[in-house]
Amino acid sequence: MWIRTQDKEMIINCSDVEIGLEEQTTIWCGGYVLGTYSTKEKALKVLDMIEDRINENEEFAAQGERNAWGTIRLTKFVYQMPLDSDVE
């Protein structure tokens, strides 16, 4: 899954996303910081949002909807990491 970092400076192809616990809670992918959140609960909610996006993409792919070249087109392919203030 492609994820754009919270600071919008990188787009990373992530297969494993993890939470690291420091002063703030940081979400990582392959050594890159995807986003930082003020609480573990907010970070977990963002992981839930990423999971929902993965499920949406898999459901879309399972429907077999293909473009003119015969490849599956995902409508929401890049996930934008939300700011801390945007996570309730």
Side-chain angles (χ1 to χ4, degrees):
M1 173 178 189
W2 290 94
I3 298 178
R4 188 168 189 164
T5 57
Q6 193 177 48
D7 63 10
K8 299 183 181 180
E9 293 183 2
M10 294 177 65
I11 297 176
I12 303 167
N13 189 0
C14 296
S15 59
D16 298 312
V17 178
E18 61 187 81
I19 293 178
L21 299 175
E22 295 86 23
E23 283 183 27
Q24 294 183 319
T25 302
T26 303
I27 298 179
W28 296 82
C29 172
Y32 295 100
V33 173
L34 298 177
T36 303
Y37 300 93
S38 56
T39 65
K40 182 178 179 180
E41 290 74 24
K42 284 188 174 187
L44 289 171
K45 183 162 187 165
V46 172
L47 287 183
D48 289 343
M49 294 161 61
I50 291 170
E51 180 181 356
D52 289 345
R53 177 62 58 80
I54 290 168
N55 289 335
E56 286 175 13
N57 284 345
E58 287 179 356
E59 181 179 332
F60 185 83
Q63 293 173 4
E65 201 165 316
R66 298 183 181 277
N67 64 19
W69 298 277
T71 56
I72 296 171
R73 180 184 57 83
L74 301 178
T75 55
K76 297 178 181 178
F77 195 69
V78 177
Y79 177 79
Q80 170 65 54
M81 294 295 287
L83 299 173
D84 182 75
S85 58
D86 293 336
V87 182
E88 296 178 8

